[in-house]
Amino acid sequence: MSEQIYYWSPIKHWEKLHNEVLIGKTKYTGIVSEWFPEFYFLTQKGVTISQLLERFSLGNEEEAQKIVELMIKNRVLVSNILHPREVFSPQEKIFPNPYSDQIRFSKDDLDKYISEQLNRMHPAARSTGIQLETKDELPSMIRERRSCRQFDMKNPVPFSEFAQLFSTLKQRKVEKIYYHYASAGGVYPIDIFVYIKPKRVEGMKAGFYYYSPSENSLFFVNNIDQVIKSDHEMINQELFTQSAFSVYLVYNARASMPKYGSDGYLFACIESGIITATLNMVAETLNLGVCSVGHMKFEDIHRFLSLDNHQVFLHGIEVGLKISE
């Protein structure tokens, strides 16, 4: 079996300071100061750990091993495609933010900010607008859609509704293969997994499942029946506690990067939004509540699902029965 190849993360910046190297926000001391800039250029091309130790141990392999392991832990050296938050994090440095950090902590400031942005106008827009009138109301599944953060915890989701929701994502095989939602180039690179909680979906054993669109079937992956709610941000922990099952949208780079290169990642992010919107509308017809989760600690779940280095979590969706009014 070939040794894993590691690359310098494209989002990590480094600076040599006397006898230490600052990488991101972490200072590395000791022999590492003698590695740069050669270490940086070598790892950009891809290198194994044994090759790094052979070149840079400088007679102290134990220390060199610890430094390399720390760089891997801190994701300075990576062997898998970057997570979405890593990909987008550098953009914050470029954006000239006119608002203070108070909008993250003050409800009044946040409400004011949201109001301003929801009523924003393009500066080049002319003063007179053309009012658009509609004769017919939108379908109720669009008109009545709301994010749902509280669910019926007393009754399980009927299997028929559960099956109908996922069947929205199945392949349609006529003369060609079609889906009910769009995908760039028709490659459909989003792998769909579901975590079902104990006794929350009629007739379904708790654990992790993979949804196969070609078979329109769920395949058992792991019988671990308890995801820790602390894997979620504090604001979403009660949401996770109440939901009946979780849907995880995972990008599989093998399914689109060979065709689109790095653009395949961008297209997959768009597709995860299309899938989420589709599930939201269908759930509305099934008395199921839905709430999106943009970020969570996915490391343990990544391991439970046996994902490889080319699969990365994009989006989570919590689903459950709506509370009867």
Side-chain angles (χ1 to χ4, degrees), residues 134-138:
T134 58
K135 296 180 180 179
D136 300 317
E137 284 193 338
L138 291 170

Side-chain angles (χ1 to χ4, degrees), residues 172-209:
R172 299 163 56 207
K173 301 175 182 177
V174 192
E175 293 180 359
K176 296 182 179 180
I177 294 176
Y178 297 94
Y179 286 69
H180 293 292
Y181 63 94
S183 175
V187 294
Y188 293 90
I190 303 299
D191 288 335
I192 299 166
F193 297 89
V194 57
Y195 166 64
I196 300 176
K197 297 177 182 177
K199 300 180 181 180
R200 296 298 304 276
V201 177
E202 181 185 34
M204 293 295 294
K205 183 179 178 181
F208 291 92
Y209 295 79

Side-chain angles (χ1 to χ4, degrees), residues 133-318:
E133 299 290 344
T134 58
K135 296 180 180 179
D136 300 317
E137 284 193 338
L138 291 170
S140 61
M141 65 180 181
I142 297 177
R143 188 179 67 252
E144 297 177 8
R145 188 219 65 82
R146 301 287 186 277
S147 291
C148 183
R149 299 187 68 89
Q150 293 182 315
F151 303 99
D152 181 349
M153 298 180 66
K154 297 180 180 179
N155 299 299
V157 173
F159 181 78
S160 57
E161 275 75 0
F162 176 81
Q164 184 63 45
L165 180 69
F166 278 94
S167 294
T168 306
L169 307 176
K170 69 180 180 180
Q171 287 183 1
R172 299 163 56 207
K173 301 175 182 177
V174 192
E175 293 180 359
K176 296 182 179 180
I177 294 176
Y178 297 94
Y179 286 69
H180 293 292
Y181 63 94
S183 175
V187 294
Y188 293 90
I190 303 299
D191 288 335
I192 299 166
F193 297 89
V194 57
Y195 166 64
I196 300 176
K197 297 177 182 177
K199 300 180 181 180
R200 296 298 304 276
V201 177
E202 181 185 34
M204 293 295 294
K205 183 179 178 181
F208 291 92
Y209 295 79
Y210 167 71
Y211 173 72
S212 168
S214 61
E215 301 288 336
N216 192 29
S217 300
L218 289 174
F219 292 88
F220 204 65
V221 174
N222 198 313
N223 63 359
I224 292 177
D225 62 1
Q226 184 59 59
V227 174
I228 302 173
K229 70 176 183 180
S230 60
D231 287 340
H232 285 267
E233 300 286 356
M234 185 69 70
I235 193 173
N236 291 325
Q237 289 184 8
E238 181 59 25
L239 165 67
F240 172 75
T241 297
Q242 292 200 23
S243 68
F245 58 92
S246 307
V247 180
Y248 304 122
L249 305 182
V250 173
Y251 172 46
N252 188 332
R254 295 182 190 277
S256 70
M257 279 198 180
K259 179 175 182 177
Y260 287 115
S262 58
D263 281 346
Y265 199 153
L266 169 62
F267 299 155
C269 291
I270 296 170
E271 185 172 324
S272 72
I274 295 173
I275 291 173
T276 300
T278 301
L279 290 177
N280 266 265
M281 287 187 288
V282 174
E284 193 64 39
T285 70
L286 301 172
N287 195 39
L288 296 175
V290 174
C291 189
S292 286
V293 176
H295 174 64
M296 61 179 294
K297 300 172 187 174
F298 202 72
E299 291 79 8
D300 287 341
I301 298 174
H302 190 284
R303 189 173 66 255
F304 297 156
L305 294 176
S306 300
L307 302 182
D308 66 25
N309 286 346
H310 307 293
Q311 291 173 289
V312 61
F313 169 71
L314 294 183
H315 193 59
I317 307 169
E318 298 299 321

Side-chain angles (χ1 to χ4, degrees), residues 100-115:
S100 73
D101 286 343
Q102 268 310 108
I103 63 171
R104 302 183 182 185
F105 309 106
S106 166
K107 184 179 184 305
D108 290 341
D109 289 352
L110 177 60
D111 289 344
K112 180 181 177 182
Y113 161 73
I114 292 176
S115 177

Side-chain angles (χ1 to χ4, degrees), residues 16-160:
K16 196 169 181 179
L17 305 170
H18 303 295
N19 294 323
E20 59 188 19
V21 178
L22 178 66
I23 305 176
K25 297 181 180 179
T26 303
K27 290 182 178 180
Y28 295 80
T29 59
I31 61 173
V32 71
S33 64
E34 301 178 42
W35 295 0
F36 285 77
E38 183 183 356
F39 182 92
Y40 169 70
F41 293 123
L42 184 62
T43 53
Q44 281 195 319
K45 298 177 181 179
V47 65
T48 64
I49 292 178
S50 60
Q51 289 172 329
L52 287 175
L53 296 179
E54 181 181 352
R55 175 64 188 86
F56 295 104
S57 61
L58 304 178
N60 193 338
E61 186 169 332
E62 183 178 354
E63 181 181 357
Q65 177 86 32
K66 289 181 179 179
I67 293 171
V68 170
E69 289 176 353
L70 181 59
M71 288 184 175
I72 293 173
K73 180 181 178 182
N74 292 341
R75 292 189 62 75
V76 174
L77 300 178
V78 295
S79 60
N80 59 320
I81 62 174
L82 301 186
H83 305 146
R85 295 191 92 185
E86 292 177 305
V87 172
F88 295 113
S89 62
Q91 309 310 312
E92 192 172 355
K93 296 179 181 178
I94 302 171
F95 171 65
N97 188 359
Y99 294 92
S100 73
D101 286 343
Q102 268 310 108
I103 63 171
R104 302 183 182 185
F105 309 106
S106 166
K107 184 179 184 305
D108 290 341
D109 289 352
L110 177 60
D111 289 344
K112 180 181 177 182
Y113 161 73
I114 292 176
S115 177
E116 288 177 1
Q117 295 309 313
L118 292 184
N119 293 283
R120 67 186 179 274
M121 179 63 70
H122 183 59
R126 301 299 177 90
S127 58
T128 303
I130 301 171
Q131 189 66 47
L132 304 178
E133 299 290 344
T134 58
K135 296 180 180 179
D136 300 317
E137 284 193 338
L138 291 170
S140 61
M141 65 180 181
I142 297 177
R143 188 179 67 252
E144 297 177 8
R145 188 219 65 82
R146 301 287 186 277
S147 291
C148 183
R149 299 187 68 89
Q150 293 182 315
F151 303 99
D152 181 349
M153 298 180 66
K154 297 180 180 179
N155 299 299
V157 173
F159 181 78
S160 57

